Amino acid sequence: MMSTSPLFERIRKGARSTAERKVASVLLEGYPTRALSTVETLAKQASVSAPTVLRFVAKIGYPRFADFQAAAIADVERQLGSPLNNIRSAVQAEKPDHIYQQTLLLQAEALQTAAAHAMPVEFDVIVDLLINPKITIKLLGGRYSQNLAQRLALQLGQLRPSVFFTPLTLGFTYDALVDAGPQDCFVIFDYRRYQAELLNFARGAKRSGARICLFTDTWRSPVAEYSDAVLTSPDSSTSPFGSRVVPTAQIEAIVAAVSLRTHDRSRDRLARIEDLRKLDDDASSSGKDEAE
């Protein structure tokens, strides 16, 4: 993993609009390799137009795309000659033999990579949507990611109203779109292998005017084309099913941010929930008194 550089930080901090954030996210996820690809390739990966890519690099100080790439190449050369980087490479080469330790270290590295490449502004866009009391939040995922959607739904539902887990039920996959509109935000989890149903669902949700937030891997689900904000995660794993350690950490960060931003409202809601949970205790006590 490369350390941050002035160019890296320009990319991270220069993006504001949805299209700019898409370009910046793609660049940071694969920096500096993706910075050395063509304008057309970057545009395709970010689901934007080639002029959008050129406008973004001009905005961060590079009127010509060739100038932008020259700055990225200078970063590569600087990193290759860094003694600290060479020491890190030597340390990383000494990996334990046991799969348990290998897996733990691999996930630790994935978390560090995700943190280094993070786009805080993209995260903030998602949190802004999730704390809006006028918006209904609906969460769904694929075969191996719907448990993530359900987890976030359960935790968000403790902090705010109008939160619903939307499972993809065979034969009823698209029924949830019948009432969809601008008042809805669909949070979708989609990782390789990407599911066609989720893409079709996102396309229908976007047509209805709903907002879409996507959690995906660094290869980026096709749902990204229709998304207002995207959080990606490295998928390095010793498991044949991929890793969901980073997405789980992202969920925890989202919940922490929502709780912080809605402190008084969420605190009152949690207090009411705790009072309701005491009904079982009251019923048990009442039954015991009657028996006596």
Side-chain angles (χ1 to χ4, degrees):
M1 179 180 63
M2 295 185 65
S3 60
T4 58
S5 67
L7 174 56
F8 190 98
E9 291 303 322
R10 281 192 190 187
I11 296 170
R12 196 204 303 265
K13 296 176 180 177
R16 287 293 176 266
S17 70
T18 300
E20 289 172 352
R21 295 198 315 272
K22 286 183 176 182
V23 176
S25 293
V26 165
L27 285 168
L28 296 183
E29 288 157 13
Y31 189 83
T33 307
R34 287 181 180 173
L36 303 179
S37 61
T38 65
V39 174
E40 291 73 19
T41 299
L42 277 174
K44 183 177 180 180
Q45 290 173 327
S47 300
V48 298
S49 67
T52 297
V53 174
L54 294 174
R55 283 194 295 270
F56 176 67
V57 297
K59 177 183 177 181
I60 62 173
Y62 302 94
R64 297 188 311 146
F65 192 69
D67 297 332
F68 171 73
Q69 289 192 317
I73 290 171
D75 262 1
V76 175
E77 291 174 344
R78 179 180 61 83
Q79 286 289 327
L80 288 176
S82 166
L84 179 58
N85 211 47
N86 293 334
I87 292 172
R88 285 174 179 165
S89 298
V91 170
Q92 289 172 357
E94 300 175 6
K95 294 184 178 179
D97 294 330
H98 199 284
I99 190 170
Y100 178 49
Q101 293 169 294
Q102 289 175 9
T103 301
L104 292 176
L105 290 173
L106 197 61
Q107 299 316 311
E109 185 177 337
L111 286 166
Q112 288 181 328
T113 299
H117 293 180
M119 281 274 293
V121 66
E122 195 82 341
F123 178 91
D124 291 340
V125 168
I126 294 177
V127 174
D128 286 343
L129 288 169
L130 296 183
I131 66 172
N132 188 334
K134 297 179 180 179
I135 292 179
T136 298
I137 310 299
K138 300 175 181 178
L139 302 97
L140 63 156
R143 296 182 193 91
Y144 294 108
S145 56
Q146 64 177 341
N147 61 319
L148 295 170
Q150 188 171 26
R151 174 173 181 159
L152 182 53
L154 286 170
Q155 294 183 349
L156 280 180
Q158 304 283 297
L159 302 177
R160 56 152 293 165
S162 302
V163 176
F164 303 96
F165 172 59
T166 308
L168 296 183
T169 306
L170 186 64
F172 299 90
T173 298
Y174 307 111
D175 289 20
L177 293 173
V178 68
D179 297 317
Q183 77 283 357
D184 293 314
C185 175
F186 287 96
V187 180
I188 299 176
F189 291 79
D190 191 25
Y191 303 87
R192 294 198 306 180
R193 303 181 175 183
Y194 310 122
Q195 288 185 231
E197 304 100 298
L198 289 172
L199 176 58
N200 294 333
F201 191 99
R203 191 179 289 121
K206 199 65 177 179
R207 279 200 297 263
S208 76
R211 301 292 193 92
I212 297 174
C213 298
L214 173 66
F215 288 73
T216 186
D217 46 47
T218 52
W219 293 276
R220 302 176 75 86
S221 158
V223 172
E225 179 180 351
Y226 303 100
S227 301
D228 296 273
V230 181
L231 283 187
T232 63
S233 59
D235 193 21
S236 301
S237 176
T238 52
S239 165
F241 302 104
S243 170
R244 298 296 173 259
V245 170
V246 175
T248 300
Q250 290 172 330
I251 287 172
E252 293 187 6
I254 288 285
V255 171
V258 170
S259 176
L260 186 65
R261 296 274 301 277
T262 61
H263 181 263
D264 292 338
R265 281 181 289 156
S266 59
R267 183 185 57 186
D268 292 344
R269 183 175 176 83
L270 285 168
R272 294 198 305 272
I273 289 172
E274 287 300 318
D275 287 340
L276 290 169
R277 287 175 178 168
K278 293 175 183 176
L279 290 175
D280 278 340
D281 295 335
D282 294 341
S284 298
S285 298
S286 175
K288 183 177 179 181
D289 293 341
E290 290 176 4
E292 292 175 350

